[in-house]
Amino acid sequence: MKNFITLQDLVDPKKTIALAKSCKQDPFTHRHLGQRKTIGLLFFNPSLRTRLSTQKAARNLGLDVMVMNFSNEAWAIEYEDETIMSGLRSEHVKEAAQVVSQYCDFVAIRAFASLTDKKRDEEEQVLRKFAEFAAVPIINMESATAHPLQALADGLTILEQVTIKKPKIVLSWAPHPKALPHAVANSFIGLMNHSNADFVITHPEGYDLNPAIVGNHKVSYNQEEALAGADVVYVKNWCSYTDYGAILRTDNEWMMTADKMKHTNEAFFMHCLPVRRNVVASDGVLDHPKSLVIEQANNRTFAAQAVLQEFLTHG
Ligand code: CP
């Protein structure tokens, strides 16, 4: 694996999830594997889970960790080729990526979507440009269109908790006051491509995700119908893809509530966090014993550890 930018970079996501499970059973089996190696974590956006779990995963493997917040600590980076850098951007990615490669054996990057320029977001300019000029592997800690470490953690959580052979898994849109990217939903769909679940995506009209990512998966504009008999309900907000970046509705009709969960087969509730209580999901859903949100966050460590272990073992 040259870089880890989407789930498609993995030979087999199911094997990586199985490896994550074994990392969880004994996180320190390979505590010397990363000795004398360093990972750099570059954050262009905020984080709680990704930042701490990736550091923990790296340390479990004996890696040194360097963390930098590019939003307020580094020079502003220019990504365009053959540009005259007379504006606010002081450093070109061409130098930055090569310099960071001298200090690090792996570079993990978080760079969210702009939600203003669909073409540029879909080109994954930040990660792809770093990958072009870096001499070391680039790892995605949530980019414009993908959050594969989250999807692997979600896959591990489902593997651990859901014993039904062919579960019904529902990905439901929920309201949010801010325009949020599609990365988590996209990567969860990517995970479902490797599952034998009865998978349904439900959202209001106007919130259709990228059709190239949705593929042939079932889509319903009727949340109640979609929830009927569900074994797992994964809730996430995203902004409009067609009217790129727009918030089309602000009512709370699609918030996940305990009453709606009654339509399910006593489903597990999942969300990647952070979550806005009583906006995205009610207290009753989040505090219910079937809520897996804390375990999903726990599994972020072992998902990251499995990916790093694959790089350290196979290059
Ligand atoms: N789920 C997730 O990526 O959380 P953070 O944004 O806190 O890293």
Side-chain angles (χ1 to χ4, degrees):
M1 176 166 50
K2 193 167 181 290
N3 300 299
F4 177 61
I5 294 180
T6 73
L7 284 182
Q8 287 165 333
D9 291 318
L10 296 173
V11 175
D12 181 353
K14 277 183 164 169
K15 279 194 182 152
T16 308
I17 291 167
L19 181 58
K21 193 175 174 191
S22 76
C23 291
K24 190 172 182 177
Q25 277 153 3
D26 184 357
F28 305 110
T29 305
H30 298 287
R31 62 191 175 281
H32 302 302
L33 199 58
Q35 256 178 0
R36 301 188 187 184
K37 293 197 167 160
T38 301
I39 184 167
L41 310 184
L42 314 186
F43 284 90
F44 291 83
N45 304 97
S47 168
L48 187 158
R49 282 143 289 273
T50 305
R51 179 169 171 159
L52 297 183
S53 64
T54 311
Q55 286 188 68
K56 190 169 166 65
R59 289 190 178 127
N60 286 351
L61 292 166
L63 282 157
D64 273 337
V65 186
M66 296 196 291
V67 185
M68 190 152 188
N69 278 318
F70 269 65
S71 53
N72 60 356
E73 292 175 345
W75 304 111
I77 306 269
E78 175 61 58
Y79 296 95
E80 298 298 335
D81 294 329
E82 297 174 19
T83 187
I84 298 168
M85 288 172 57
S86 56
L88 294 174
R89 294 168 186 261
S90 309
E91 172 138 39
H92 201 279
V93 66
K94 212 174 227 182
E95 282 82 39
Q98 291 181 76
V99 168
V100 171
S101 300
Q102 293 175 314
Y103 309 144
C104 302
D105 300 276
F106 305 98
V107 175
I109 300 176
R110 164 164 283 201
F112 288 171
S114 68
L115 299 181
T116 54
D117 186 334
K118 188 192 259 188
K119 185 174 173 290
R120 190 170 296 181
D121 285 349
E122 294 199 326
E123 284 169 2
E124 293 284 13
Q125 191 186 51
V126 177
L127 269 82
R128 296 286 173 198
K129 281 290 183 185
F130 265 93
E132 183 180 342
F133 297 115
V136 298
I138 299 296
I139 295 169
N140 186 348
M141 295 194 297
E142 187 173 345
S143 64
T145 66
H147 197 357
L149 289 174
Q150 180 67 53
L152 291 174
D154 296 338
L156 174 57
T157 311
I158 291 169
L159 178 72
E160 289 174 327
Q161 304 287 342
V162 181
T163 50
I164 296 165
K165 212 168 176 194
K166 189 174 168 61
K168 180 174 181 183
I169 300 183
V170 178
L171 171 63
S172 177
W173 183 90
H176 199 282
K178 285 173 70 180
L180 297 189
H182 307 103
V184 170
N186 289 346
S187 288
F188 190 73
I189 294 169
L191 176 74
M192 289 296 101
N193 291 340
H194 297 271
S195 141
N196 72 341
D198 173 14
F199 178 53
V200 184
I201 305 164
T202 185
H203 54 74
E205 288 190 51
Y207 280 101
D208 294 82
L209 290 157
N210 182 349
I213 289 172
V214 171
N216 294 325
H217 289 300
K218 278 181 252 173
V219 176
S220 168
Y221 297 143
N222 186 325
Q223 190 187 38
E224 193 176 312
E225 254 175 43
L227 290 175
D231 300 296
V232 176
V233 177
Y234 197 110
V235 170
K236 183 72 185 83
N237 169 268
W238 57 85
C239 64
S240 172
Y241 177 76
T242 317
D243 186 1
Y244 194 62
I247 298 174
L248 305 178
R249 51 190 293 173
T250 50
D251 61 273
N252 67 358
E253 207 181 300
W254 279 68
M255 179 173 80
M256 194 53 59
T257 62
D259 270 351
K260 287 184 187 174
M261 292 295 280
K262 284 180 188 156
H263 296 293
T264 70
N265 182 29
E266 298 183 2
F268 289 105
F269 171 81
M270 297 181 75
H271 188 284
C272 61
L273 302 184
V275 65
R276 290 189 184 229
R277 283 177 171 259
N278 304 309
V279 173
V280 173
S282 69
D283 287 336
V285 173
L286 285 160
D287 297 332
H288 193 277
K290 302 266 328 220
S291 170
L292 298 177
V293 297
I294 303 301
E295 199 49 38
Q296 284 173 263
N298 184 32
N299 284 338
R300 289 294 308 275
T301 298
F302 310 108
Q305 191 167 332
V307 170
L308 292 173
Q309 196 171 308
E310 286 192 4
F311 271 116
L312 288 163
T313 310
H314 306 295

